[in-house]
Amino acid sequence: MTSRSLLHLLIFAWGLNGCSIREQAFVDGGPGKDGIPAIDTPDFNDINIADLSDSSMVLGVYYNGTARAYPTYILRWHEIVNDKFGPFSVAITYSVLAGSSVGFLIPHEFEGIGTSGKLYENNLVMYDRGTDREWVQLLGQRTGSCDFLNRIPLMHTKWGTWRTLHPDSKLLSTRTGYDRDYSVDPYPQYANNEDIYFTTSYRRGSSPYVLHSTKSDCYLLTLSSQTHDQYIFPQSVISEVGSYAYKVFNKSIGPGGDYIQRTYEADYVLDSFGIQPKNNMEIADYLVVVAYHPKDELIAAWMIATNVSMNGTSWEKNFAIINGSTIYNYLGLIPPLKWSFDDYEAEGIFHAFLNISEGFAAPFLGSPDIDKNGTNGYNASLNVEIAGNSTSNYSLNFIKIPVRYNLYRLPLFRSYWFAATAIYPEAHIFVQDGAQFRFETYSPEIIYRQPWRPWMVASIVVLSILALVLFSCTIFCAYHICNRKRFARLNDAEEFVNGSLRDEMKLLIEAGLIDPGQLQSS
């Protein structure tokens, strides 16, 4: 067994413990199975006749050479669109209560997917029609198993931004086959308040939940085969830095009980995302790059794999967004490494300068006038500032070498903060610490409760008033029922007494002891 296979086996064995899904998080969402109907025969309009404002939000998908956009105002009524991109079956899903949008590559035996009527942490639970198995949207996982669906890149953005990136895109039309008034929002004001409808483990006053507001937007980068390898990028934080590059890692408990950070190899990361390496390139190094441009609602993630180790170059600290849509590396590579938000795959070669005495690249020497004559090596003298004013000369030997790279688009999905942290409470959360940015991991206690909402309070008040009225009526009726017999006995006694008095008066009158005229006058 190779060391790489052993690593995968250990990671898999460690991850089995995290495959289980918390049963307490499942609730009945109200509408039954297919109560919210999926769109199975989507119809699309060409971009030149699409009647949609540029500011309207869409879910944009580019797959198998085809670009399509799905307006969220339609998906709020259906939550799932079963579509075809050539021979590939794809499901576009949108969970309104969790604010999450995910694209899946669906096996043909599924025969499409539908809404199960259940929720998991207020997130959509789907079912596949071929086997009737249930799948949690944000987990991408089948309930009761370690089976995962393959995700595909999907962009939650403005229609104007999407059609600029993909001018040949088509737009889902309102000809869905269902009688719906798509101008009406079935969940009015839900996105603008703090209400959480169903049972959740999210607790506003605890960490990490307290870091951001309940329904603030965040973005999830998840490895398909490990539920612990999740990265949450709050929109308010990633917007501060613009772009961020890192290597995929996880924290496990070491022999001494302390957390240790494990960085994954590139081939494991690619396999987890379901990506096949291009051109059989032997991968020596990689970076995951997440970039966000707030003005145009542009956010995406990529993996850059190289055939040469870039250790010591600090190239991960040199990414930035220029011209609103181009991701650029300022390392001094020749030619510069750059790509756009509409790039899904790319490959090429750049040249880096390696210090042959130390074995790492020297980015500060990557200027256009270095090696301008095409020589392979040179000597350079550098002035390095030490302790403010003093300088020292260092003579270093460098060599220019070609580096082959492959670029892959990764699935990055939007969600409400409360849903992302409730479903992935131990995810790596992107945080800002002064001028520095890093990932922070938490291990909160999982406690489930039904959140209080205004309508619940109003219902309790109304029910209390009704109960009080019912109680008063019951007491009133019971009092009269219980005393009815007593009142009857008193009436009988009164009639008996009155009857007896009349008989005695009659006898007295007949005996001449009482004058009837005196009785009438009195």
Side-chain angles (χ1 to χ4, degrees):
M1 179 180 293
T2 65
S3 59
R4 181 173 297 171
S5 300
L6 180 60
L7 173 65
H8 288 193
L9 180 61
L10 290 174
I11 292 171
F12 177 74
W14 179 85
L16 282 177
N17 195 30
C19 282
S20 60
I21 296 180
R22 304 188 296 269
E23 294 296 329
Q24 311 98 298
F26 286 97
V27 297
D28 184 355
K33 199 172 190 177
D34 290 320
I36 299 176
I39 298 175
D40 295 321
T41 55
D43 185 71
F44 294 88
N45 290 329
D46 290 331
I47 199 169
N48 57 340
I49 62 171
D51 185 18
L52 190 65
S53 66
D54 285 350
S55 61
S56 296
M57 301 303 292
V58 298
L59 307 185
V61 177
Y62 179 82
Y63 193 75
N64 195 39
T66 300
R68 289 174 185 158
Y70 306 79
T72 57
Y73 74 86
I74 296 179
L75 282 168
R76 292 176 76 84
W77 286 92
H78 299 280
E79 297 200 336
I80 297 174
V81 179
N82 291 299
D83 206 351
K84 287 276 192 180
F85 285 73
F88 302 102
S89 297
V90 169
I92 311 304
T93 66
Y94 182 57
S95 176
V96 179
L97 297 186
S100 55
S101 49
V102 186
F104 295 103
L105 189 62
I106 302 300
H108 293 297
E109 62 267 22
F110 277 19
E111 300 175 7
I113 61 175
T115 57
S116 69
K118 299 178 183 178
L119 296 169
Y120 178 86
E121 292 280 9
N122 291 264
N123 183 227
L124 168 67
V125 177
M126 314 170 291
Y127 81 97
D128 67 83
R129 294 166 179 162
T131 65
D132 203 38
R133 296 174 297 189
E134 294 178 345
W135 305 79
V136 180
Q137 183 214 34
L138 274 177
L139 290 174
Q141 181 183 352
R142 179 163 69 92
T143 59
S145 79
C146 286
D147 295 337
F148 291 82
L149 294 172
N150 286 328
R151 302 171 176 91
I152 62 171
L154 176 151
M155 184 179 286
H156 193 136
T157 188
K158 298 175 183 177
W159 167 239
T161 299
W162 179 257
R163 66 186 181 89
T164 300
L165 291 175
H166 299 280
D168 59 343
S169 177
K170 294 184 180 296
L171 180 70
L172 179 69
S173 79
T174 55
R175 298 185 297 274
T176 61
Y178 296 96
D179 184 17
R180 298 288 190 276
D181 183 359
Y182 292 110
S183 64
V184 175
D185 186 352
Y187 303 86
Q189 298 303 314
Y190 176 75
N192 301 321
N193 56 46
E194 296 288 298
D195 288 356
I196 300 176
Y197 281 4
F198 296 94
T199 300
T200 179
S201 60
Y202 179 83
R203 289 175 290 135
R204 289 183 174 90
S206 304
S207 295
Y209 316 113
V210 74
L211 294 177
H212 299 279
S213 60
T214 303
K215 292 179 183 174
S216 59
D217 289 334
C218 64
Y219 298 91
L220 275 164
L221 185 64
T222 71
L223 272 67
S224 301
S225 60
Q226 295 297 324
T227 57
H228 283 67
D229 301 335
Q230 319 300 333
Y231 299 83
I232 299 177
F233 294 86
Q235 187 181 85
S236 59
V237 180
I238 191 65
S239 62
E240 291 293 323
V241 66
S243 61
Y244 188 78
Y246 67 101
K247 288 187 178 180
V248 174
F249 64 93
N250 207 323
K251 289 183 178 179
S252 58
I253 299 178
D258 297 327
Y259 279 97
I260 57 174
Q261 182 170 305
R262 179 179 61 244
T263 300
Y264 292 141
E265 296 182 11
D267 64 330
Y268 168 72
V269 177
L270 283 174
D271 181 65
S272 297
F273 285 117
I275 297 174
Q276 296 297 323
K278 298 174 62 177
N279 303 327
N280 296 318
M281 187 182 82
E282 190 69 26
I283 300 175
D285 208 348
Y286 76 95
L287 279 180
V288 172
V289 180
V290 177
Y292 176 66
H293 189 255
K295 179 180 178 182
D296 296 322
E297 291 284 344
L298 277 171
I299 187 166
W302 299 265
M303 176 177 176
I304 309 171
T306 63
N307 68 338
V308 174
S309 174
M310 300 293 288
N311 287 338
T313 65
S314 299
W315 71 319
E316 69 275 6
K317 299 179 181 179
N318 288 274
F319 288 94
I321 301 176
I322 61 174
N323 301 325
S325 62
T326 301
I327 297 86
Y328 188 93
N329 188 281
Y330 284 94
L331 180 65
L333 307 175
I334 302 176
L337 177 61
K338 60 181 179 178
W339 68 91
S340 300
F341 278 93
D342 58 350
D343 286 326
Y344 286 77
E345 285 191 356
E347 57 182 311
I349 297 175
F350 59 80
H351 290 82
F353 295 90
L354 295 182
N355 180 344
I356 59 177
S357 61
E358 298 293 340
F360 61 87
F364 40 80
L365 290 179
S367 59
D369 56 342
I370 291 180
D371 200 20
K372 59 186 178 183
N373 296 321
T375 58
N376 289 326
Y378 59 90
N379 292 325
S381 180
L382 302 177
N383 287 324
V384 182
E385 184 176 354
I386 299 176
N389 296 321
S390 61
T391 60
S392 301
N393 278 333
Y394 293 87
S395 181
L396 303 175
N397 294 320
F398 297 93
I399 185 170
K400 184 179 77 172
I401 65 167
V403 179
R404 182 176 296 277
Y405 72 90
N406 287 335
L407 181 74
Y408 308 92
R409 185 72 162 263
L410 300 179
L412 183 72
F413 304 115
R414 177 183 177 271
S415 171
Y416 288 142
W417 169 253
F418 87 87
T421 51
I423 292 176
Y424 294 117
E426 297 183 355
H428 307 287
I429 299 174
F430 191 55
V431 299
Q432 183 175 4
D433 185 5
Q436 302 298 317
F437 296 87
R438 58 183 173 80
F439 290 103
E440 188 69 43
T441 306
Y442 298 83
S443 297
E445 182 182 4
I446 305 301
I447 301 174
Y448 282 95
R449 64 184 65 177
Q450 174 65 48
W452 285 99
R453 299 177 53 225
W455 68 264
M456 293 181 178
V457 177
S459 298
I460 290 176
V461 172
V462 171
L463 290 175
S464 300
I465 294 174
L466 291 176
L468 181 61
V469 171
L470 180 61
F471 177 76
S472 301
C473 292
T474 302
I475 295 298
F476 178 80
C477 294
Y479 174 79
H480 284 275
I481 290 173
C482 294
N483 288 282
R484 184 172 55 185
K485 292 182 178 180
R486 187 169 68 89
F487 291 151
R489 288 196 297 270
L490 291 174
N491 290 333
D492 292 342
E494 183 180 2
E495 291 178 359
F496 174 77
V497 171
N498 292 335
S500 299
L501 290 174
R502 286 194 297 270
D503 292 340
E504 290 177 359
M505 286 290 183
K506 185 178 181 181
L507 292 174
L508 292 172
I509 292 171
E510 289 177 352
L513 298 175
I514 297 177
D515 183 4
Q518 293 179 348
L519 290 175
Q520 292 178 355
S521 62
S522 62

